[in-house]
Amino acid sequence: MASVTTYCRICEPLCGLEATVEDGRVVRIRPDREHPLSKGFACPKGIAMTEVQNDPDRVLHPLRRRPDGEFERVGWDEALGDIAARLNALRKEHGGSSIGWYFGNPATFSYSHPLWLNGFMAALKSPHLYSAGSQDVNNRFAASALLYGAPVLVPIPDLKRTDLLLMLGANPLVSHGSLITAPRIREDLSAIVVRGGRVVVADPRRTETARAYEHLPVRPDGDAALLLSLLNVIFEEGLEDRAACARQASGVQELRALAEGFAPEDVEARSGVPAPAARELARDLARAERAVVYGRTGTCLGRHGTLTAFLIDAVTQVTGNLDRPGGAVFGAAPFRLDEVLRLSGLASYARTRSRVGGYPDILGTFPAGVMAEEITTPGPGRLRALLVSGGNPVLSVPGSAALDKALDELDLLVTIDLYVTDTGRKADYVLPATTFLEREDFPLPFLQNHLTPYVTWTEPVVAPRGEARQEWEIIEALARRMGLGVGAFGPQRLAHRLGVRPSPRSLVDGLLRTGPAGDWYGLRRILTGRGGLSLKRLRKEPHGIVLADHHRTGTLRRRILHKDKRVHLAPPEIAAEVRRLAAEPEPPDGFPLRLIGLREMRSHNSWMHNAPALMRGGRVHAARINPQDAAAHGIKDGEPCRITSPHGSVELAALVTDEMTEGTVAVPHGWGHRGGWRTANAAGGANVNLLASPDPADLERLAGMAWLNGVPIRIEPA
Ligand SMILES: Nc1nc2c(c(=O)[nH]1)N[C@H]1C(S)=C(S)[C@@H](COP(=O)(O)OP(=O)(O)OC[C@H]3O[C@@H](n4cnc5c(=O)[nH]c(N)nc54)[C@H](O)[C@@H]3O)O[C@H]1N2
Ligand SMILES: Nc1nc2c(c(=O)[nH]1)N[C@H]1C(S)=C(S)[C@@H](COP(=O)(O)OP(=O)(O)OC[C@H]3O[C@@H](n4cnc5c(=O)[nH]c(N)nc54)[C@H](O)[C@@H]3O)O[C@H]1N2
Ligand code: SF4
Ligand SMILES: [Mo]
């Protein structure tokens, strides 16, 4: 029996874990008490990863669909050989742009998987790259591209030093924080209050987080109007930080003009926030010694995600809180993801447009909301083969019915997953991926998001079960068979030209050693007398290394990529969005309520409903509804109800609760399973994304964000 230290890669805190291994098998997972940041914290999902790891329903060998529709086990050689041949045939006839890839949320938690698949797609010269990002975070990248000229330059709220946090559309007491890596975020939030500060949570639901602090009830999708009204008051009352504006920004007067039509009294109905409360909040933000605005998925999945993300930073900047202790800070890391992506050409925004819908690319990806029509729309560039890795788009993308149907028209569908998912059930091949416990890793995309600067490395805890393989290995093997050189990434491409195939591990070592904190291959010791980072050094520290107490501030000018080195507060794209917001049509008649999402402590998107430890206690998929709304529509607690939108209808249990504000219904996504996961299938529930619009025209303009929050619905007893 051995105890192996690693870190969790289910969600963003990346908590330290201790796995007990017996005969090459993980038998128990506990929190790592010696992890300097999570300090013995892990949530039920991290602990339940043992059950995913050992799940009898896991796919452990490549599966191929037989003519009778059933899956059969095949060898890797046969599977990869046939897939490569079919992809090459498509390439020959229709070009590389007939092949697409969708990567889901878990892909981001592997350092090697996204690098290799980007290289694969670049080698194919295919624009058909899709991800969970358009259902999650791409609006944030678009906002940063507009504000700073750098899509992945995303500031984090400096929770450890702030006095006032305005948090919109996030529930970190359950989600454990997103776009911020802070494993003990509950303590960080409570410490704000303990030192006399405030945490204000704007949410249509009185969430776990709202209950713990101050709740500001809002209407779904009212955030942009609310933030504009805060700017309106700040400018109107002369509360802006003039020095900060003069030093950091351009477009201040134009922004002021944009906010003019949005007095708190004008937007009350839309934001749900009474005008006096909005005025008070604006003054508090402006007057607080150190304040910051932070928003997450609740502000991303409405109709104005990019505008909202933009305004979140705009309010922070105008009140003098950008790039300042206790405000929003730009994380530094042993090497900077924004720089690495820029140098390798991956940090793009609106470099190209999608064939369907004309949406801008974000980091080389198009909105997953156009995927169905990309498959069904004839003409050059039609999507004919799709690979899906670490994703379950049939349950996660808007308008799932259309996507589910479109998948039938593909010449080839391959999924790379731990399970036969609700998407994989349609696949021609299902290829078994390793779990995070079976692979080495490095928290590449999260380095700059750590509230406390930190770096770590992990080796695999156990060898892969069955014939599972890491994604990068699968991609490399496939590329080799297809005669492609994988290399989107600068150093990778160079290495390929020189005829070497670098491993992900050697890439990270090179980046670490040449980075600002690197050992410069020994040169640092000669020059400074002190050692620096290398993979070898990291491997000696199983609990990782804390690099500093706080991020440095005053780095903004160096990191902005706009030529004038200023934050652009009123780009034309944003001005146009404000006009669209002002002119937004009323929702159709007959749908009086608004649907929003919900995350539950013991679910993780669509993929942990097969772990018995998480499903205990007769969990049911339920729609939360306010008592007044329930009475008005004849809905009874615990009884089945039918929810109908202009696009579809689902049935599930009702949960009547006054934590919902009137007029809003909350339903978690990722339920209603029909895959190869028996416990999940038996849990019942419905795919809530059947209610979202499948129409590409309904995606948000600047980032192609899915419209999943604020969907017009009606509800009745089923
Ligand atoms: N209505 C509504 N819809 C939403 C959201 C919402 O709030 N409301 N949220 C959106 C958000 S934020 C997200 S991130 C998406 C998620 O959407 P997706 O990423 O499409 O789906 P997941 O449910 O996360 O599925 C992940 C899949 O990866 C598999 N998996 C787990 N670990 C690994 C691994 O290491 N390798 C491989 N190859 N596979 C692995 C799991 O078995 C699972 O099948 O959903 C989005 N959809
Ligand atoms: N337990 C658990 N943890 C998770 C996940 C999970 O599935 N389960 N998923 C992970 C993933 S992929 C992500 S991206 C993160 C997301 O992390 P968060 O964004 O913190 O997670 P949510 O709980 O979805 O919080 C969104 C909140 O927005 C509110 N909301 C909905 N519409 C609006 C609106 O229009 N305006 C405002 N102001 N609020 C609104 C919802 O009521 C909800 O409370 O969580 C991660 N962590
Ligand atoms: S909060 Fe839970 S699921 Fe997320 S990283 Fe920590 S242990 Fe893993
Ligand atoms: Mo997400």
Side-chain angles (χ1 to χ4, degrees):
M1 213 164 75
S3 184
V4 184
T5 307
T6 189
Y7 69 91
C8 185
R9 277 147 279 167
I10 298 171
C11 73
E12 290 170 66
L14 311 175
C15 303
L17 301 179
E18 285 289 335
T20 308
V21 178
E22 233 176 76
D23 301 328
R25 189 183 139 94
V26 178
V27 294
R28 189 157 88 113
I29 291 176
R30 281 170 303 145
D32 174 9
R33 285 209 209 98
E34 287 169 61
H35 190 286
L37 304 178
S38 58
K39 297 180 194 149
F41 170 79
C43 84
K45 293 180 299 170
I47 304 300
M49 191 62 199
T50 317
E51 296 185 342
V52 173
Q53 174 67 24
N54 299 319
D55 196 332
D57 290 347
R58 237 185 99 182
V59 175
L60 298 177
H61 307 279
L63 299 177
R64 175 175 61 197
R65 184 174 304 286
R66 285 197 312 237
D68 68 1
E70 295 297 308
F71 283 116
E72 66 183 355
R73 177 175 164 181
V74 289
W76 272 109
D77 263 348
E78 205 177 338
L80 290 172
D82 186 40
I83 295 167
R86 286 165 78 173
L87 291 178
N88 270 346
L90 282 173
R91 259 170 91 205
K92 204 159 159 216
E93 200 180 336
H94 304 288
S97 63
S98 59
I99 299 168
W101 199 301
Y102 171 93
F103 62 100
N105 176 266
T108 325
F109 289 84
S110 154
Y111 80 111
S112 49
H113 178 175
L115 285 178
W116 256 246
L117 80 84
N118 264 294
F120 183 79
M121 294 303 283
L124 278 177
K125 297 198 175 55
S126 171
H128 286 299
L129 184 58
Y130 305 94
S131 80
S134 51
Q135 289 67 252
D136 183 340
V137 67
N138 283 354
N139 61 313
R140 181 55 254 195
F141 298 140
S144 281
L146 296 168
L147 285 158
Y148 312 117
V152 285
L153 189 58
V154 176
I156 54 172
D158 190 10
L159 303 181
K160 290 200 186 289
R161 296 185 284 185
T162 200
D163 301 321
L164 173 55
L165 169 67
L166 170 59
M167 173 153 54
L168 306 137
N171 186 16
L173 263 43
V174 168
S175 71
H176 300 107
S178 183
L179 280 182
I180 180 164
T181 290
R184 289 194 162 260
I185 196 162
R186 179 196 280 266
E187 284 168 24
D188 296 322
L189 294 173
S190 294
I192 298 174
V193 179
V194 168
R195 40 174 202 270
R198 294 169 59 200
V199 176
V200 178
V201 183
D203 201 299
R205 185 180 147 238
R206 197 172 70 251
T207 61
E208 294 74 1
T209 311
R211 241 174 280 156
Y213 308 102
E214 293 173 51
H215 184 204
L216 181 69
V218 295
R219 299 263 303 149
D221 217 8
D223 304 276
L226 173 64
L227 290 162
L228 280 163
S229 79
L230 299 180
L231 285 170
N232 177 291
V233 174
I234 289 166
F235 285 123
E236 200 68 20
E237 302 189 0
L239 299 174
E240 73 272 23
D241 185 331
R242 296 218 174 91
C245 289
R247 195 173 65 242
Q248 295 177 325
S250 70
V252 181
Q253 288 317 314
E254 291 86 340
L255 180 65
R256 177 192 184 120
L258 286 176
E260 243 153 41
F262 292 86
E265 294 71 17
D266 300 332
V267 305
E268 250 179 4
R270 177 141 202 183
S271 69
V273 179
R279 288 192 175 277
E280 214 40 54
L281 182 59
R283 291 173 193 139
D284 290 344
L285 281 167
R287 287 183 190 142
E289 187 55 39
R290 306 173 296 181
V292 63
V293 189
Y294 160 80
R296 210 37 202 101
T297 54
T299 61
C300 298
L301 305 177
R303 311 229 66 191
H304 307 282
T306 305
L307 176 61
T308 307
F310 183 98
L311 293 169
I312 283 172
D313 282 15
V315 172
T316 300
Q317 196 286 321
V318 163
T319 54
N321 288 298
L322 188 66
D323 187 31
R324 175 169 183 244
V329 299
F330 295 93
F335 56 84
R336 282 166 34 193
L337 188 65
D338 55 327
E339 270 301 292
V340 172
L341 290 182
R342 184 178 70 83
L343 292 173
S344 54
L346 293 176
S348 61
Y349 172 56
R351 189 183 292 155
T352 53
R353 298 258 159 193
S354 57
R355 186 179 71 119
V356 168
Y359 287 97
D361 83 286
I362 305 219
L363 311 181
T365 67
F366 286 128
V370 306
M371 229 162 35
E373 287 203 14
E374 289 284 5
I375 296 169
T376 56
T377 309
R382 180 176 187 171
L383 179 54
R384 294 166 190 271
L386 182 67
L387 295 104
V388 175
S389 57
N392 192 5
V394 163
L395 290 195
S396 61
V397 164
S400 329
L403 179 63
D404 202 20
K405 199 152 155 271
L407 293 180
D408 295 332
E409 291 189 31
L410 287 169
D411 290 347
L412 180 69
L413 175 64
V414 177
T415 60
I416 304 175
D417 208 286
L418 314 178
Y419 296 96
V420 176
T421 64
D422 316 283
T423 307
R425 65 192 270 271
K426 297 235 161 154
D428 300 290
Y429 283 95
V430 176
L431 304 179
T434 52
T435 65
F436 69 75
L437 296 168
E438 297 164 344
R439 66 169 192 251
E440 70 198 28
D441 235 323
F442 180 74
L444 182 61
F446 307 104
L447 289 174
Q448 293 181 186
N449 296 353
H450 271 96
L451 181 58
T452 305
Y454 170 82
V455 63
T456 190
W457 168 268
T458 184
E459 293 293 336
V461 170
V462 285
R465 274 185 69 201
E467 292 183 282
R469 288 190 186 174
Q470 292 186 52
E471 296 83 358
W472 76 271
E473 299 171 320
I474 299 172
I475 293 164
E476 187 137 319
L478 195 57
R480 215 172 272 184
R481 278 181 165 79
M482 291 173 70
L484 295 172
V486 178
F489 192 56
Q492 214 180 338
R493 201 162 30 214
L494 179 67
H496 273 274
R497 272 195 217 119
L498 299 174
V500 266
R501 287 186 179 264
S503 63
R505 179 189 288 260
S506 60
L507 269 182
V508 158
D509 190 39
L511 286 166
L512 270 176
R513 301 186 78 175
T514 53
D519 71 354
W520 308 335
Y521 296 92
L523 196 62
R524 182 189 289 271
R525 192 171 291 284
I526 295 168
L527 293 178
T528 68
R530 292 175 37 220
L533 290 177
S534 64
L535 197 56
K536 195 169 152 207
R537 168 83 209 287
L538 275 188
R539 289 187 57 195
K540 287 188 193 144
E541 308 277 355
H543 310 285
I545 301 176
V546 172
L547 300 166
D549 288 341
H550 302 287
H551 289 288
R552 279 177 55 202
T553 51
T555 63
L556 181 64
R557 256 189 94 78
R558 269 191 284 126
R559 301 186 71 176
I560 286 187
L561 292 183
H562 286 315
K563 283 216 178 65
D564 61 2
K565 296 288 168 196
R566 285 175 172 275
V567 183
H568 290 190
L569 287 181
E573 293 88 342
I574 289 300
E577 278 300 292
V578 174
R579 284 192 294 275
R580 284 167 60 90
L581 177 70
E584 194 165 82
E586 288 293 309
D589 280 344
F591 302 98
L593 302 172
R594 299 289 164 267
L595 176 73
I596 62 168
L598 173 78
R599 279 182 165 75
E600 301 160 293
M601 183 64 89
R602 288 186 290 153
S603 292
H604 193 77
N605 298 325
S606 78
W607 69 276
M608 296 197 85
H609 291 143
N610 213 51
L614 298 178
M615 301 308 284
R616 266 202 287 273
R619 286 184 62 193
V620 286
H621 191 213
R624 285 171 167 74
I625 181 169
N626 169 283
Q628 274 82 26
D629 292 328
H633 299 277
I635 303 297
K636 299 221 162 55
D637 188 44
E639 294 197 357
C641 64
R642 181 180 306 114
I643 304 181
T644 305
S645 79
H647 310 286
S649 183
V650 298
E651 286 185 16
L652 72 169
L655 197 165
V656 178
T657 163
D658 70 359
E659 73 190 28
M660 294 308 303
T661 47
E662 257 185 270
T664 308
V665 173
V667 179
H669 68 284
W671 289 75
H673 294 285
R674 294 181 296 165
W677 29 28
R678 289 167 290 178
T679 307
N681 292 346
N687 176 1
V688 72
N689 285 353
L690 291 167
L691 299 173
S693 169
D695 186 353
D698 281 333
L699 301 175
E700 184 264 348
R701 288 315 307 171
L702 295 180
M705 292 305 289
W707 180 19
L708 298 167
N709 278 342
V711 174
I713 52 159
R714 66 166 175 268
I715 190 165
E716 61 214 331

